[in-house]
Amino acid sequence: MPEQTLLSKIWDAHEVVPETPDTPAVLYIDLHLVHEVTTPQAFDVLRASGLPVRRPDRTLATMDHSTPTEPASTLEELEKVALPAAAAQVRAMIENCEEFGVELRGLDSPERGIVHVVGPEQGATWPGHTVVCGDSHTSTHGAFGALAFGIGTTEVGHVLATQCLLQRRPGALAVNVSGRLGPGVTSKDLILAIIRKLGVGGGTGRVLQYRGETIRALTMEQRMTMCNMSIEAGARAGMVAPDDTAYEWLYGRPMAPAGAEWDAALAGWRELEDRGHAEFEGEVSLDAGQLRPMVTYGTNPGMSAQIDEPVPGSGVPAIDKALAYMGVEPGKPLQGREVDIVFLGSCTNSRMSDLRSAAELMRGRRVADSVRMLVVPGSQIVKREAEAEGLHEVFLSAGAEWREAGCSMCIGMNGDTVGAGKLCVSTSNRNFEGRQGPGARTVLASPLTAAASAIRGRVADPRELMDG
Amino acid sequence: MEKIIRIQSRTVVLDIDNVDTDQIIPARYLTTTGRDGLGEAAFHDWRYAKSGELNPDFVLNHAENRGRTILIAGDNFGCGSSREHAPWALLDIGLKAVISTSIADIFRNNSLKNGFVPVVIDEKPHRWLLANPGAEIAIDLEQAQVELPDGPPCPFEIDRFARYCLMNGVDQLGYLLQQSDRISAWEASH
Ligand code: SF4
C-alpha cells in the first residue's frame, strides 16, 4: 500500500466529523494564532452571541501588523507614534484579549513580534499540528510538518468559538528539489524560483510539500522562508515532513513538550517522517544547483528573474503594465537599477540567520548615501539576541535604522512606508502594487541581495561582495 | 444572512489577471475594527487618481456600470492576503458576485461566508464574457449555472454545502456550534 501523504496523515488525525459529499469535515485546530488586524470583528461576533473563547490555552495572541516599529511599551506611548486608526486597533486587541481571557504578547511583552516568528520561537508549532491564523502567511508553520493555513475573519470567529473549522480536504502537490544551493543563493531565491515555475495561481486548492535532499539540508529558518511563500503560488499551505532538524529546533522551547511528554510526542512525530513512497496529485521538480540570486521585476511574486537575466521585453499587456508601474526597462536585467530603500524584515526573512547573513556582508561597509535601509527584527526576542551579538551595531554603523519588532514595511499600514515611485529591495513576500504604501515599487529578494543592494545603491548580486 | 438564489445583472468587466487583495482593498484601510463602509476603499488606488479625483478610465467609474452587480474578472482573482475586508468592500460597492476562470482559495472561502458569490467557469464562456461587457446574464445557484444571453447555460462547480448555506441564508457558526458534543468528545479522547 502506498504511504499516506503528510497532509492526509494530519487531516485524518484531526477530523472531528468526516466530510461527506453534502458537508465539509469538522476539522480540529491545535493552535490558533491571532493578531490585531483580522480579529476585532470576530470578537464582536462572539460578544454579540454571548460565546466564550473555547480554548484560550490553544490561542496565541500577539500584535504586529498595525503596531508601529518605533519604541512604545504602553498604549499612551503608542498613541504618540501610531496612526490613530492603528492605535485604536491595538487598543481593541488589548481589550478583547482581556475580556475573553486570552494571554496577549502585547506592547510590553519581551516576546511580542510577528505572529509567524513568535509561534515557532515559542515552540508552539509542532509536527502534525493543525495551525490557523487570520493571515495568509500562516503557511510558514508548515516548515515543522504541520498543516498550517490562513483563514478569514469569519473563520477566526469559528475557531475562537469552537476550536474547529469546516473544511474540504485539499490535494497535495510534491515539489521535489535536488542539488546544492551555491554560495550567495538562499532558500528565498529557491522559493522565488518555485513560484516562478508554478505561477501565482499554480498551487490553488492544493498543499505543497517540499521534498528532496536540498530541503533536508535546509535549517528550520530556511524552511520557514520557503513555506511562508507557498501562498504566493496560490497554495493553501506549504509543508516539509518533520525530521531531526525540526525536533532539535523544538527541544527545550517554552511551549514544546518536555520530559516524558517529549518522548511520547517524538514517537508520534516520527510516524510523520517522509519515507518517500507517498503518492501525490502531482509533482514538480527543480534543480537548486543551477540557481542564481532571484529578484522580482513586476507586481506579483511570480514575475521574477535571476539577477543578471533580462526581464521580459514588451508585448504582453500584463507584463507591460507591471514594468511601467515598476519603472523597469523591458528586456534588460534588473541588476544595476538604482535603489531608494532597502527593507530587511517580515515573517519571510527577519530571523537570526537572516540578520546574521546580512550583517556579515555589511560589516565594515556603509549603506550608499542615496539609500534608506530599515532593519526590523521579527520579534523582540530576535531583537535582543541580535543586540547581544552586536548585529545592531553593524547595521547602525553602516547607516541603517534598527527598529522594534513588527511587520513594518512589509505592509503599508503601520506608518512605515516606501513612498510613491520609490524602489525598495525588500526581503518580504509581496510585491503587489501599493503593498508597501501607495505607489511603492517592490523588488523581492533575499537578505543577502538586499544587503548588497543597500551597499551598492543599486540592485546588486551579493556574490560580488562575498569573500572567496 | 440574506438568502441568495439567483443574481441577474449586466456585467462589469475587469479584464486583468491575478487581481490581488491589496488592489481590492489596500492594507492601509485594514486598521478598522468594523466591517461597514469599506466600499470607499474598494479598488481605491485604481479607482482614484493620485490627486484624489475619480479615475475616469477605471471600469467601475464608468457611468454605465453603476448598479451592476456581477463582476467578470481575469484569472486567479483575489490572490494574496486573507483579509475578509476584500469581500466586505466589494459588497459595500454593490457587487454581488465575481466570475473568473479561477479564484484564490482564501478569498473564495471568505466570499462564501459573506454572501458574495464566487463563480468559476470554463475558459470559453469566460472569454466571451470578457469580450462582451454589459451582457445581461444570470447566476442561478439552484441549477449551478450561468445563463448567457444566447446559447446554452454554462454550468459551474460549487461546493454543495456552500450552496446550501447561500440559498438558505445559513450561518455556518450555528452549524459548527451544533457539533459541540462531538467536539467535546474528540477533545476528551485526544
Ligand atoms: S510580515 Fe508581512 S506578510 Fe508577514 S504577517 Fe506581517 S504583514 Fe503579513
Side-chain angles (χ1 to χ4, degrees):
Chain A
M1 224 179 70
E3 191 187 334
Q4 272 190 306
T5 59
L6 177 58
L7 167 67
S8 286
K9 289 179 195 168
I10 299 175
W11 189 277
D12 289 351
H14 288 84
E15 267 187 341
V16 175
V17 181
E19 68 181 306
T20 70
D22 286 331
T23 50
V26 176
L27 194 73
Y28 197 79
I29 302 303
D30 293 312
L31 176 66
H32 187 197
L33 304 156
V34 291
H35 63 84
E36 74 275 31
V37 177
T38 53
T39 51
Q41 300 86 349
F43 280 117
D44 283 348
V45 169
L46 265 66
R47 198 176 286 117
S49 318
L51 293 165
V53 171
R54 184 181 175 98
R55 295 296 298 264
D57 58 321
R58 290 188 176 278
T59 312
L60 194 161
T62 191
M63 301 196 296
D64 49 9
H65 283 69
S66 55
T67 308
T69 57
E70 309 268 8
S73 56
T74 63
L75 252 181
E76 290 66 44
E77 284 172 27
L78 179 108
E79 269 154 6
K80 288 192 203 117
V81 293
L83 311 166
Q89 199 167 51
V90 168
R91 178 187 291 278
M93 184 68 179
I94 295 169
E95 289 170 359
N96 281 329
C97 286
E98 236 169 54
E99 180 182 343
F100 286 90
V102 173
E103 187 198 340
L104 174 65
R105 285 170 170 82
L107 291 176
D108 56 350
S109 166
E111 296 165 0
R112 190 188 63 77
I114 306 175
V115 65
H116 309 307
V117 176
V118 170
E121 190 169 69
Q122 293 298 316
T125 307
W126 302 0
H129 259 173
T130 46
V131 181
V132 298
C133 173
D135 187 279
S136 59
H137 293 99
T138 308
S139 57
T140 312
H141 307 264
F144 292 85
L147 172 60
F149 55 93
I151 56 177
T153 297
T154 298
E155 290 186 318
V156 168
H158 292 178
V159 182
L160 288 174
T162 69
Q163 203 58 33
C164 287
L165 275 179
L166 293 166
Q167 291 285 310
R168 294 271 181 203
R169 185 191 303 241
L173 184 72
V175 179
N176 302 316
V177 189
S178 59
R180 239 170 81 178
L181 290 170
V185 186
T186 70
S187 69
K188 176 66 163 285
D189 303 299
L190 177 55
I191 189 64
L192 283 171
I194 291 171
I195 296 162
R196 180 187 190 183
K197 186 168 177 129
L198 286 173
V200 287
T204 301
R206 296 195 282 192
V207 169
L208 308 181
Q209 186 173 337
Y210 303 104
R211 305 163 78 225
E213 61 195 31
T214 317
I215 306 299
R216 287 285 146 241
L218 296 178
T219 65
M220 285 316 297
E221 300 197 348
Q222 292 167 331
R223 292 179 193 182
M224 281 190 252
T225 298
M226 294 197 60
C227 289
N228 173 276
M229 289 193 73
S230 306
I231 178 75
E232 310 312 335
R236 202 76 184 87
M239 57 202 328
V240 175
D243 58 11
D244 288 348
T245 306
Y247 316 143
E248 272 159 30
W249 166 285
L250 276 167
Y251 188 78
R253 295 202 178 248
M255 294 174 76
E261 278 182 32
W262 170 267
D263 296 333
L266 185 62
W269 298 343
R270 291 216 183 273
E271 297 296 313
L272 303 171
E273 290 179 4
D274 189 353
R275 311 212 196 290
H277 305 301
E279 272 176 32
F280 291 84
E281 254 184 29
E283 306 217 10
V284 294
S285 300
L286 202 105
D287 180 2
Q290 301 300 316
L291 276 182
R292 305 200 287 281
M294 300 282 296
V295 285
T296 60
Y297 57 79
T299 51
N300 72 48
M303 294 180 176
S304 66
Q306 316 220 42
I307 192 155
D308 50 355
E309 175 191 357
V311 309
S314 48
V316 179
I319 301 273
D320 291 348
K321 180 170 178 281
L323 292 176
Y325 179 86
M326 290 294 293
V328 166
E329 227 182 305
K332 297 250 175 72
L334 206 61
Q335 189 169 15
R337 167 76 155 82
E338 275 167 38
V339 168
D340 302 299
I341 310 243
V342 171
F343 171 58
L344 174 55
S346 91
C347 56
T348 315
N349 284 122
S350 62
R351 299 179 181 84
M352 276 309 289
S353 57
D354 302 312
L355 302 188
R356 273 191 204 120
S357 68
E360 202 173 317
L361 204 81
M362 294 179 70
R363 200 178 294 276
R365 292 186 165 117
R366 282 199 58 83
V367 173
D369 288 343
S370 54
V371 173
R372 175 185 177 207
M373 182 179 188
L374 207 65
V375 185
V376 186
S379 71
Q380 294 300 83
I381 290 182
V382 170
K383 179 168 190 262
R384 282 196 307 280
E385 209 180 317
E387 288 174 350
E389 279 185 23
L391 302 185
H392 66 309
E393 279 158 11
V394 176
F395 294 124
L396 286 168
S397 62
E401 295 169 44
W402 176 248
R403 294 296 187 90
E404 303 297 309
C407 295
S408 185
M409 251 185 214
C410 174
I411 188 165
M413 66 179 298
N414 47 54
D416 296 341
T417 51
V418 162
K422 296 239 160 70
L423 189 103
C424 176
V425 176
S426 177
T427 63
S428 55
N429 43 53
R430 286 194 173 132
N431 52 342
F432 298 145
E433 285 182 28
R435 169 75 180 187
Q436 298 191 290
R441 295 163 161 172
T442 305
V443 173
L444 301 177
S446 74
L448 282 175
T449 303
S453 303
I455 295 161
R456 287 278 162 90
R458 293 171 182 276
V459 175
D461 188 333
R463 296 171 302 176
E464 291 172 7
L465 293 170
M466 286 167 67
D467 305 329
Chain B
M1 250 184 17
E2 203 189 321
K3 296 179 186 180
I4 305 165
I5 314 284
R6 191 182 159 83
I7 300 169
Q8 187 164 351
S9 169
R10 288 189 180 278
T11 61
V12 182
V13 171
L14 183 63
D15 187 4
I16 300 176
D17 289 347
N18 305 313
V19 172
D20 59 78
T21 53
D22 275 276
Q23 307 321 312
I24 299 174
I25 177 168
R28 61 186 184 279
Y29 297 107
L30 308 185
T31 48
T32 173
T33 54
R35 61 173 83 201
D36 300 327
L38 290 171
E40 195 45 41
F43 290 114
H44 187 281
D45 297 348
W46 287 353
R47 243 166 91 212
Y48 295 92
K50 282 194 195 88
S51 60
E53 311 262 295
L54 278 182
N55 168 10
D57 295 335
F58 186 59
V59 281
L60 283 164
N61 293 336
H62 296 178
E64 73 270 18
N65 284 334
R66 258 184 227 129
R68 295 181 177 174
T69 62
I70 301 178
L71 183 69
I72 313 295
D75 192 53
N76 195 30
F77 185 79
C79 59
S81 97
S82 66
R83 61 191 70 165
E84 200 159 318
H85 311 69
W88 294 339
L90 296 177
L91 284 163
D92 203 47
I93 53 170
L95 291 171
K96 293 183 176 167
V98 62
I99 301 181
S100 176
T101 37
S102 109
I103 292 175
D105 289 329
I106 310 180
F107 176 82
R108 194 197 57 227
N109 264 334
N110 286 341
S111 297
L112 289 167
K113 301 276 188 302
N114 288 279
F116 183 76
V117 181
V119 174
V120 172
I121 57 169
D122 290 340
E123 241 171 76
K124 208 175 143 209
H126 183 248
R127 257 200 311 275
W128 186 89
L129 284 168
L130 286 179
N132 290 277
E136 176 86 32
I137 67 165
I139 298 167
D140 187 318
L141 280 174
E142 180 117 61
Q143 305 295 327
Q145 64 189 23
V146 177
E147 296 165 11
L148 304 176
D150 296 303
C154 49
F156 62 88
E157 300 254 343
I158 181 165
D159 179 71
R160 280 200 226 171
F161 183 75
R163 182 173 66 167
Y164 176 85
C165 290
L166 287 174
M167 292 180 60
N168 295 282
V170 171
D171 171 21
Q172 299 187 10
L173 178 57
Y175 175 86
L176 261 176
L177 287 167
Q178 286 169 13
Q179 316 289 328
S180 290
D181 290 348
R182 293 180 79 170
I183 298 170
S184 298
W186 194 93
E187 282 177 329
S189 67
H190 283 76

